[in-house]
Amino acid sequence: MKILLIGGTGTISTAISEKLIEEKHELYLLNRCQKNISLPQGFRSICADINNEVDVAEKLSEMEFDCVADFIAFVPSQLERDYRLFNGKTKQFIFISSASAYQKPSSNYVINEGTPLANPYWEYSRSKIACEDYLMKMYREYGFPVTIVRPSHTYCKASIPLGVHGKNGSYQVIKRMLEGKPVILHGDGTSLWTMTHSLDFAKAFSGLIGNLHAIGEAVQITSDETLSWNQIYKSIANALGVDFKPFYVASDFLAKAGAFDFEGSLIGDKANSVVFDNSKLKKLVPGFQAAIRFDTGIKECVDYIMSHRDCQREDPEFDGWCDKVINALEAALNFVKESGEQNDGC
């Protein structure tokens, strides 16, 4: 099949690009051509900024596709642009939405595609919902062949998935673990979460491409493995060969603590227990089963990051913030204890 990916070199899309190259599809990547060199041979580059609609329209003027997938659209105006560019030029258009769009707080911890979409805590999620609404309107009214894909927390060999981290990603948390320092976990670490390796995601995604039964549908792609955040962080510590030293902080406190935007990513997402029902995906892609267990996948991630200096982006601002939060809460606890002892003495 002739497939165009807008993006194609991110955490999720790199594995998909590699999978489609392996399957011998005629693959085109439309991006600014800054990271394509890391992919194996077997694709064609269209060097352009998708936001420059006139330039993209000119470069694609003589081309049609079996499938177009946009990995970097976040607001409805970008989908309106895609509709202008690809209506009548593709047999399928896949939009990458987000499982964070599901109802928060959840009325049921088991999530499927019928779960309502509503997230008052995170603008990112609300924008994804608006994107879905627009595309489904184009499908219903004009037959635009859309498939909506909802990933949850997907990781690759170069990314450690965490609940609480700074602006530079996950490495500073790894560094704290290696230095024997406590790491902040939201809540008490017992809420449930799902991690999906990008290679598993790519297998499912490939099965949706060209799938007539996926047109007009929304489909979530996740692993079936459910973990607590304690288990997630313990697996990371085990992969590093260090002790797990959690410091538990209420999600609401973290969301109000200021320095980093945790209201959306925690209150609107990771602080909620979720278990995904992937029955619809497995019906659309018979035989699909996520095969990479988290403790195995995270060991690969840790080995890769520790052997690639460019993945080790330190974040002193986040590190100092963690120490400040931990010291403040420990001081508060000591104050309460001492006050209680004094009252007992009276």
Side-chain angles (χ1 to χ4, degrees), residues 157-219:
K157 65 181 180 181
S159 65
I160 300 289
L162 296 168
V164 179
H165 60 79
K167 298 173 184 176
N168 287 349
S170 59
Y171 178 70
Q172 194 64 46
V173 177
I174 295 173
K175 190 169 185 287
R176 289 181 69 88
M177 287 184 171
L178 291 170
E179 293 172 348
K181 298 172 75 173
V183 294
I184 293 176
L185 264 71
H186 58 278
D188 62 0
T190 61
S191 60
L192 302 178
W193 199 243
T194 298
M195 298 291 188
T196 308
H197 197 288
S198 61
L199 294 180
D200 283 330
F201 188 95
K203 288 190 297 184
F205 191 91
S206 175
L208 294 175
I209 292 177
N211 189 327
L212 293 175
H213 301 291
I215 303 298
E217 297 288 347
V219 189

Side-chain angles (χ1 to χ4, degrees), residues 134-168:
Y134 170 77
L135 287 173
M136 293 308 293
K137 182 177 188 294
M138 294 302 101
Y139 167 70
R140 289 190 299 267
E141 296 184 7
Y142 303 105
F144 189 53
V146 64
T147 298
I148 293 168
V149 170
R150 296 177 187 146
S152 184
H153 207 153
T154 306
Y155 68 102
C156 68
K157 65 181 180 181
S159 65
I160 300 289
L162 296 168
V164 179
H165 60 79
K167 298 173 184 176
N168 287 349

Side-chain angles (χ1 to χ4, degrees), residues 1 12 15-16 19-20 23 67 71 92 94 96 113 147-151 154 196-211 214 219-224 278 280-291:
M1 286 186 287
I12 293 176
I16 293 170
K19 178 70 172 173
L20 297 178
E23 293 178 348
C67 180
F71 291 87
Q92 183 183 30
I94 300 180
I96 311 304
E113 290 81 358
T147 298
I148 293 168
V149 170
R150 296 177 187 146
T154 306
T196 308
H197 197 288
S198 61
L199 294 180
D200 283 330
F201 188 95
K203 288 190 297 184
F205 191 91
S206 175
L208 294 175
I209 292 177
N211 189 327
V219 189
Q220 61 193 27
I221 299 179
T222 79
S223 168
D224 291 321
N278 290 304
K280 185 174 183 178
L281 172 63
K282 292 175 182 177
K283 184 176 180 180
L284 289 167
V285 187
F288 170 73
Q289 183 68 45

Side-chain angles (χ1 to χ4, degrees), residues 12 70-74 79 93-102 117 124-133 135 146-154 201 205 217-221:
I12 293 176
D70 193 338
F71 291 87
I72 55 175
F74 300 98
L79 276 305
F93 180 87
I94 300 180
F95 168 59
I96 311 304
S97 185
S98 171
S100 70
Y102 288 123
L117 304 183
Y124 165 81
S125 304
R126 294 193 297 275
S127 293
K128 289 288 191 178
I129 294 170
C131 288
E132 290 196 25
D133 289 343
L135 287 173
V146 64
T147 298
I148 293 168
V149 170
R150 296 177 187 146
S152 184
H153 207 153
T154 306
F201 188 95
F205 191 91
E217 297 288 347
V219 189
Q220 61 193 27
I221 299 179

Side-chain angles (χ1 to χ4, degrees), residues 323-344:
D323 290 337
K324 185 183 297 185
V325 168
I326 291 170
N327 291 338
L329 290 176
E330 286 184 334
L333 179 61
N334 290 333
F335 174 78
V336 171
K337 284 182 175 179
E338 290 172 1
S339 298
E341 290 172 357
Q342 291 173 2
N343 290 336
D344 289 343

Side-chain angles (χ1 to χ4, degrees), residues 5 51 59 61 120-121 148 199 205 208 222 236 240 256 259 272 298 301 314-315 317 336-337:
L5 304 186
N51 297 304
K59 289 178 176 176
S61 60
Y121 304 103
I148 293 168
L199 294 180
F205 191 91
L208 294 175
T222 79
I236 297 169
L240 289 166
K256 294 176 180 176
N272 298 269
I298 207 64
C301 294
E314 296 191 18
D315 192 341
E317 179 188 5
V336 171
K337 284 182 175 179

Side-chain angles (χ1 to χ4, degrees), residues 35-63:
K35 297 193 293 183
N36 291 353
I37 193 170
S38 64
L39 290 170
Q41 295 297 313
F43 69 96
R44 303 177 190 183
S45 286
I46 300 173
C47 295
D49 181 348
I50 187 62
N51 297 304
N52 187 339
E53 185 176 342
V54 173
D55 180 54
V56 172
E58 182 178 342
K59 289 178 176 176
L60 299 180
S61 60
E62 303 299 322
M63 303 178 73

